[in-house]
Every structure is written in C-alpha cells, then in structure tokens.
Amino acid sequence: MVGDEARGEMNTFQRNESKESLFTFISTGDDPPKGDFHVQKKSPKLCGSNYPLSIAFIVVNEFCERFSYYGMRAVLTLYFISFFHWDENLSTAVYHAFSALCYFTPVIGAIMADSWLGKYKTIIYLSIVYVVGHLIKSVGAIPSLGNQAVHVVLSMVGLFLIALGTGGIKPCVSAFGGDQFEEEHTSERSKFFSVFYLSINAGSLISTFVTPVLRGDVKCFGEDCYALAFGVPAALMVLALVVFIAGSGLYRKTPPQGNVLLEVCKCIGFAIKNRLKNRSRQIPKRDHWLDWASEQYSKQLIAEVKMVTRVLFLFLPLPMFWALFDQQGSRWTLQATKMNADFGIYVLQPDQMQFLNPLLILVFIPIFDLGLYPLISMCKFNFTPIRKMATGMILAGMAFGLAAIVEVKINETDMPQLVPKESLIQVLNLAKNPVQVTIQDQNLFQQPVEAFQNPDEYSHLILNGEQQSLRFILQHQGSSLAFNYTVKEKSVYSLIVFEAEGSLSSRLITDLEAKPENGLAAVRFINGLSQDVNLTIDSKQFTPVQRNYGVSGYSLVERDTYDNGKCITETGEFTLDLGLLDFGASYTVVITNVSGGAVQTWKSEDIKANNVHMAWQLPQYLLISAGEVMFSITGLAFSYSQWAEFVLFTVLLFAVCIIFSIMGYFYVSVDPEDLEEKEEKRETPSRGNMISLVTQKTKL
C-alpha cells in the first residue's frame, strides 16, 4: 500500500543526484535563480551526530501527511456507496480515477520544483492546496449542507485539490530531506531514508485502522460520521504544514536546476526531427536512433536517455501489477462488507482490513532482507531484481485467485438472481397447526408447512408474463380456503398465514430482493397482538404497527445483540429482546404475546447472515503484501477488480507476469560507466545537419 510512495520519492532523490551531474553537460550558462536558496547552510545536528536537526521536521511532516492521505482514502469507497448511494461499479471507477490522478500530478510537482520554485516553496504552496482540498472534502460530507449535487461537487473539487497536493509534493519531500545532508554523510542519508520510509508506513498503518472507527463507531447527523472521518485527516494535514514551516530556519534550500524530464523529451524530439530531416541514403546510418541528437546534446545525456528508453520498454507490463494492487481500497473492501467481521474481542469495520498491508510490509521487509534473500543466495540461486519482480507478480496473481475463491463462498449466501417471468416466495405459518399450501400452476410446498417453521430458502414462482394473478389454496384442519394475489416478476414475497377471529387468513407481503449493504442487518415486525404497538430498538423508532398482523417496513441496523428494545401498547411498556441481528441478514420478527412484563416474539431469518469470516481475507493480504515487497524495488505506483473480475484479473496478472519474464530474459543490464566509456571512444564530427562518421557496432 505505502511502499510505492516511499520508494517513488526515494528514486526521485536518486534521480535528482544524477541529474546534477547530468546537467553539467547541458548547462546553458545561466546564473542560478535568485531567492531564498541557502545551499551551503549547515543545519544544527541531532544530539551531536551527523544528522541535521531539520530532518526531524521533515519526518514528522511526512508521517502526518501520509496519515491524512491514507486515512481519507481508506473510507472513500464506502463514502461513495453509503453517502452518495452510488453503485459499486461507479464508486470503484471514481476511486481509481482519483488514485490515478494522485500518481499523475507528481509530474506537475517535479516541474514546478526543478524549473521554477525549488523544492521548499513547492512543498509549501502545494501543501496549502492540499489542506484546502481536505477542508472542502470534509465540509462536503456534512449531510445538512445542501443537497446531493452540492455534496458531489464539493467532494470532487476537494478530491481534485487533494490529488494535486499529495502528488505535487510527492517527488519533493524525500529529495528535500536528502538535500539536508552534506555530501560526505552518505551513510546517514541512507539511514534517513529508512526512517522516512518507516514514517510513511506508520502513518498509513495507524490511519487505516483509526479512520474507519471514526466513520463507523461514531455517529453524527444520525448516520456514519464521514465528516469526522475526513476531518481528522484534514487536521493532520494542517499539522503537517505547520510542522514543516516551523523548521524553515533550519533547512538547506537548493535552487531549481531545470527539469530533467523536459530535457529528455527535448532530446528525444530533436533526435526524431533530425533523423527525419536526414533521410538521404547518402548520409551514413547511426547505431541508435537517439544518436541523431548528438549535434545538440551531450554524449552522456544521450547515453542515459538510451538507458531510460530500454528500461521503459521493460517496464511496459508493470502498471498492470499496480493497477490490480490498488483493489485493496475498493473491491477488496467491498468484499469485506459481505463477510463476518466478528473476531470475538473486536468487530472490525470492513475498511479496516486495509491496515494489514502496511503492517505486513513492516514485518516482511526485515524477514525478506535478513532471512529469505540471504537463504536464497546460500542456495547459489541468482535471485536478480527482475526475478524478484516476476515472483512478486506471481504472488499477487495467487492473491487474486484466493480472492476469487472467497467471493464464490460469499455468493453462496446471496439471494438467488432474479430473472424475467420469475419471482421468489416463502411461507410463514403463524397459525397453531400445520398448513398445506397449493399455488395455481406451481409445483411447490409438497409437505405441509409447520407452525412457526423457519423456511430454509425461497422457492421459485414461474409466471406467464410481467405479472400474473395466482390462486393460493390453504388446507388447514380439514378445511380449505382460497385467496387470489397478483405476483410481479423479479420480486420476492412472503405469504404469511395466520388465524384471525377464529378462521384462517393470509397476506402476501414484499420482501427484500438483496442483502443489506455494508454488513448491516435489516429487520421488520409483524404485530400478532390485538392492539397497535410502537417499537423502539437502539434509539430507532418504528412507525406504529397495526394490530392483527400488521406489517412494518424494514429498518437497517448495525450488527449487534438487541436485548433492551421497547414495545409500547395500550396496556403499558414492555421489554423487547431480539437477540443477535447479524451481518448482512434480513429478519422478520413476529410479536406473538405479552406476558411477565416482556414481549414474546418469534424471529425468522429471511436472508442468511454473512457466514464467511473476514479472516479468510488474510491469505490474500499476505500474498499481495509479499508480492509488493518483492516488486516494490521499482517504486512504481498502482491502481484497479470483483467475483468474475477477480478471476479475470488473476489471469491478466499471470499473463503480464509471463510477458514480463520473457522480456526480462532478453534484457541485458548495462553499467552506466561502461556505456559512457564506449561513447567517449566514438567519433562524431558534424557539418551542420550532415553527419560523416564511421559506424561502429556497440554491444549493449
């Protein structure tokens, strides 16, 4: 989850180091920009060590910023579903569009820092944008503020500013931390990156565990408190900005030196343009198409661009890995909402499972570096970076295979898929004796339905059109009664049979067509008393339920044991004990009698509770985290999955792994010093745009 940020930022710093030497070859001779850039300033040291005091402010800033980002993102998918009432596909698409934008905006931040403002001012300005985005996002989550259109607009504006802020500062912060060290303190700088990486994982670990609690366990405005879940990360980002500014007087601030990305693009563009201009067969060919840029650009720059293009070609399959990896915050979270989250001593929120990734990363890194990799080396196996990355892909593919298996088991408790000209029906016999139910043109209910028998499952009604009037015949104690009901296609019904005024009667009522979302439980009441009742459970008040088998609407409640409800009748107030209302289940509670100061009830579980435990997601998190540790040396970013989607992505990831392995087999590593030495041996005299040289074959 978080390793890519740290490694992406570290790689930025490493590129920045090589960029300084690179630009000595392409400098245009301009004077350094004027401003508050104290390159040679020496910061006070930490406790007499070689560590500058300024890095403490940078590490704390990074911890707070990562807390704010991952804390906000942890609850984002459920926010779209629960607050905006978007479907899973739209919610997932917007979530990944936001993630993709966060990994695109570093280009903007890098250009601003290298070509214009420098790292320090870029971090300050974009952090302010970041804070504003968080505040707008938090305000947009207040239910009483406008209608849904207002909430959507505020949220999308907030997310755009957050993406600009978090992505914009991403390539600057760790590089700025590296700038604080003198050149001779390379070992301290290396250890700083380890601490910096730890702060990223710590911020992610804590936030992905805490913010789902703020969302689900704290109630505001009568529902999940998304305003608080977004507000706390916003406060952490404000703190990050304050801490960073507080260390301003201690920082070494390097001037912008021009953007290497722009130089690379110009070099490539000039090479293409020059090659097209010199298409004559009389002009000698060159070993590489980038050699056509040698009239304007240095040999070292051209050599390094060649290396970049080769590596980019090798990395073409890699975005698929990160695209699927990011499913932890979307499809895997949605999968967790359909599972049993009771761990005995603690009930996890579905979006809290994401905390496993940063936790496992912190555990796996020392295990792999100090145990696994040395053990593999002892076995005389050359476990190259490319092989590690391919292994990481295989582990990630296995993770999605396990996710698909888990999804299959989850679907076993789902309601049957409704199709045209078909409906579902069950019978709830609330009479004192068995009842034989016969439905016109249907071959159902071969055996009598016992009194207060909990149905095992719904039965299928086959209709002759979009709706059909059916005749229901009830046989009870030697008598037979008939009732006509109109049944619509793609609907779910319960036929309740009861005794009223000494005779048998019935009623056809509509049931839920699907499981309650987000692990909630649904409950409704049937009043079998001869007086109206008012019901209250967990501060939720139901509309009065009419006497003689009146039926209430459904109410969604959190999974819990409800033993202190209230039932108010004309004769007094009574205790209502419903027992456990479990994850994802739908219940019909029949009030049958009042005695001993309590209400007597019978509870039917119409839709089965989630019976696949959330712990079954642990293996897929183990594999995806191990895959990240092996794959993360690239420092790439990621983003994208469901049941059939899980299988699709498993196949895709294995296919990408095979392609990557084949490409890696033919990839030959090149030492930059060797390449530079070979370039120096080449002769490249030029006459305007005409090139006269003796071509030499160079093995790479």
Side-chain angles (χ1 to χ4, degrees):
M1 168 188 279
V2 295
D4 54 310
E5 269 77 11
R7 291 179 295 276
E9 292 172 336
M10 291 182 215
N11 289 342
T12 303
F13 174 73
Q14 294 160 357
R15 290 193 301 271
N16 195 58
E17 294 253 291
S18 64
K19 180 183 65 180
E20 293 177 3
S21 62
L22 180 152
F23 268 91
T24 60
F25 292 89
I26 62 174
S27 173
T28 57
D30 295 339
D31 294 331
K34 298 178 181 180
D36 186 20
F37 299 110
H38 310 295
V39 182
Q40 301 301 326
K41 180 174 181 178
K42 290 191 175 182
S43 173
K45 305 300 181 182
L46 281 169
C47 304
S49 67
N50 290 325
Y51 293 95
L53 180 60
S54 56
I55 65 171
F57 294 88
I58 296 173
V59 169
V60 173
N61 163 268
E62 185 67 11
F63 170 84
C64 295
E65 188 274 327
R66 290 292 86 186
F67 185 108
S68 73
Y69 174 74
Y70 280 109
M72 177 277 302
R73 205 179 74 155
V75 300
L76 195 57
T77 300
L78 295 186
Y79 172 70
F80 292 149
I81 291 176
S82 301
F83 197 84
F84 291 164
H85 304 292
W86 290 351
D87 61 34
E88 292 185 358
N89 293 329
L90 177 59
S91 301
T92 300
V94 175
Y95 173 89
H96 290 295
F98 167 71
S99 296
L101 185 60
C102 289
Y103 295 120
F104 171 77
T105 51
V107 176
I108 299 175
I111 294 175
M112 290 177 61
D114 287 344
S115 304
W116 181 25
L117 297 174
K119 301 182 189 74
Y120 174 75
K121 289 184 178 179
T122 300
I123 294 171
I124 293 291
Y125 295 158
L126 290 182
S127 291
I128 294 173
V129 173
Y130 200 164
V131 168
V132 173
H134 266 302
L135 295 176
I136 293 176
K137 184 76 186 70
S138 302
V139 171
I142 300 176
S144 59
L145 185 67
N147 56 24
Q148 180 167 332
V150 174
H151 296 147
V152 171
V153 170
L154 289 176
S155 295
M156 295 304 107
V157 171
L159 288 175
F160 176 79
L161 295 178
I162 290 172
L164 181 60
T166 188
I169 67 175
K170 191 184 300 296
C172 302
V173 178
S174 68
F176 186 69
D179 289 345
Q180 307 309 306
F181 293 85
E182 285 86 18
E183 290 302 320
E184 63 269 20
H185 298 149
T186 54
S187 62
E188 287 82 0
R189 178 188 291 160
S190 178
K191 292 177 181 177
F192 157 74
F193 285 129
S194 296
V195 175
F196 187 86
Y197 177 77
L198 178 64
S199 71
I200 291 176
N201 282 274
S204 172
L205 174 63
I206 296 173
S207 65
T208 51
F209 190 87
V210 171
T211 51
V213 174
L214 299 177
R215 172 197 64 79
D217 293 353
V218 179
K219 301 299 178 184
C220 58
F221 307 102
E223 54 189 57
D224 284 355
C225 199
Y226 285 101
L228 179 63
F230 292 137
V232 170
L236 264 292
M237 190 57 220
V238 172
L239 179 60
L241 178 58
V242 170
V243 168
F244 187 77
I245 294 176
S248 177
L250 304 174
Y251 298 139
R252 300 174 75 236
K253 303 167 186 174
T254 59
Q257 297 173 324
N259 188 265
V260 67
L261 177 62
L262 295 179
E263 288 298 322
V264 169
C265 293
K266 289 178 181 178
C267 178
I268 294 174
F270 182 82
I272 296 173
K273 180 181 178 181
N274 198 24
R275 179 67 184 91
L276 293 176
K277 185 184 295 185
N278 296 280
R279 289 175 292 178
S280 173
R281 294 182 179 180
Q282 299 177 355
I283 300 176
K285 294 183 178 180
R286 305 187 184 183
D287 288 345
H288 195 282
W289 63 272
L290 278 169
D291 291 333
W292 290 93
S294 59
E295 285 84 1
Q296 185 167 329
Y297 294 92
S298 69
K299 295 177 181 179
Q300 180 172 344
L301 175 61
I302 293 173
E304 293 187 354
V305 174
K306 289 178 183 178
M307 295 173 63
V308 168
T309 56
R310 293 176 68 240
V311 171
L312 285 178
F313 174 74
L314 178 67
F315 280 5
L316 283 177
L318 305 193
M320 177 61 74
F321 176 90
W322 296 116
L324 303 184
F325 185 93
D326 210 26
Q327 293 301 312
Q328 295 173 72
S330 56
R331 290 296 184 184
W332 284 18
T333 295
L334 295 175
Q335 184 184 68
T337 65
K338 299 179 286 185
M339 304 177 78
N340 187 335
D342 186 3
F343 285 82
I345 59 175
Y346 188 77
V347 176
L348 278 181
Q349 298 291 339
D351 36 2
Q352 272 183 303
M353 284 296 288
Q354 297 175 64
F355 92 97
L356 283 175
N357 179 253
L359 176 63
L360 291 170
I361 291 297
L362 292 176
V363 172
F364 281 160
I365 285 177
I367 292 177
F368 280 47
D369 287 343
L370 302 178
L372 180 61
Y373 294 156
L375 183 62
I376 293 175
S377 298
M378 290 173 60
C379 297
K380 307 299 182 183
F381 180 74
N382 186 17
F383 204 29
T384 63
I386 289 179
R387 288 173 178 171
K388 289 179 184 178
M389 295 165 68
T391 304
M393 287 183 175
I394 292 173
L395 293 176
M398 293 171 63
F400 277 92
L402 290 179
I405 294 173
V406 170
E407 191 74 6
V408 170
K409 297 300 293 182
I410 289 173
N411 289 342
E412 291 178 358
T413 63
D414 276 353
M415 289 288 289
Q417 188 70 35
L418 295 171
V419 298
K421 295 185 179 181
E422 185 177 283
S423 292
L424 301 176
I425 190 170
Q426 67 174 1
V427 176
L428 301 180
N429 180 11
L430 309 183
K432 297 178 182 178
N433 298 292
V435 175
Q436 178 66 56
V437 179
T438 304
I439 305 176
Q440 172 190 341
D441 301 328
Q442 309 291 325
N443 188 25
L444 304 175
F445 310 116
Q446 301 299 317
Q447 301 296 325
V449 180
E450 299 294 331
F452 294 95
Q453 173 183 323
N454 203 334
D456 291 331
E457 59 184 13
Y458 283 90
S459 300
H460 292 261
L461 280 174
I462 307 302
L463 309 179
N464 58 17
E466 294 183 358
Q467 65 179 34
Q468 182 179 354
S469 179
L470 296 177
R471 187 174 182 83
F472 292 74
I473 301 174
L474 309 180
Q475 295 177 336
H476 176 254
Q477 292 185 321
S479 62
S480 180
L481 299 171
F483 302 89
N484 292 323
Y485 295 110
T486 298
V487 177
K488 297 181 179 179
E489 67 175 359
K490 302 174 69 172
S491 300
V492 183
Y493 297 98
S494 285
L495 177 69
I496 59 172
V497 180
F498 54 91
E499 293 181 82
E501 299 179 355
S503 63
L504 198 65
S505 186
S506 68
R507 178 174 297 168
L508 190 67
I509 59 177
T510 304
D511 297 355
L512 289 182
E513 298 176 2
K515 272 180 169 289
E517 294 180 346
N518 302 329
L520 298 176
V523 60
R524 67 178 174 185
F525 293 90
I526 296 177
N527 179 14
L529 303 179
S530 58
Q531 50 188 321
D532 296 348
V533 298
N534 289 280
L535 304 170
T536 302
I537 58 169
D538 191 34
S539 302
K540 286 183 177 290
Q541 289 189 341
F542 288 75
T543 57
V545 186
Q546 295 182 351
R547 68 190 71 189
N548 297 329
Y549 298 94
V551 182
S552 74
Y554 282 102
S555 182
L556 298 177
V557 296
E558 298 283 345
R559 185 262 190 188
D560 205 346
T561 299
Y562 295 90
D563 54 7
N564 198 28
K566 295 180 180 179
C567 177
I568 302 175
T569 70
E570 298 172 359
T571 58
E573 181 177 309
F574 303 92
T575 301
L576 180 63
D577 185 358
L578 300 180
L580 176 65
L581 302 183
D582 213 347
F583 297 106
S586 173
Y587 300 94
T588 297
V589 178
V590 183
I591 301 173
T592 59
N593 196 11
V594 174
S595 64
V599 175
Q600 305 298 317
T601 62
W602 174 74
K603 183 171 66 176
S604 169
E605 188 179 54
D606 303 330
I607 299 178
K608 304 303 180 184
N610 300 344
N611 61 1
V612 179
H613 200 276
M614 202 179 286
W616 285 107
Q617 279 196 323
L618 181 58
Q620 63 201 57
Y621 273 98
L622 284 167
L623 289 174
I624 199 75
S625 300
E628 181 192 3
V629 170
M630 288 191 170
F631 192 88
S632 60
I633 54 173
T634 60
L636 295 176
F638 47 84
S639 279
Y640 230 67
S641 143
Q642 216 240 0
W643 173 63
E645 289 176 291
F646 284 136
V647 177
L648 170 63
F649 292 140
T650 300
V651 175
L652 282 176
L653 195 50
F654 277 116
V656 167
C657 174
I658 294 171
I659 295 172
F660 174 78
S661 300
I662 295 172
M663 294 170 67
Y665 178 79
F666 292 102
Y667 177 80
V668 181
S669 298
V670 178
D671 189 327
E673 295 183 359
D674 293 342
L675 186 60
E676 184 177 336
E677 183 178 337
K678 291 178 180 178
E679 289 287 343
E680 289 175 352
K681 293 180 180 179
R682 296 177 54 192
E683 296 280 333
T684 55
S686 62
R687 293 195 305 258
N689 289 328
M690 297 294 292
I691 305 256
S692 175
L693 58 85
V694 178
T695 59
Q696 297 178 354
K697 297 294 182 181
T698 302
K699 285 190 177 181
L700 297 181

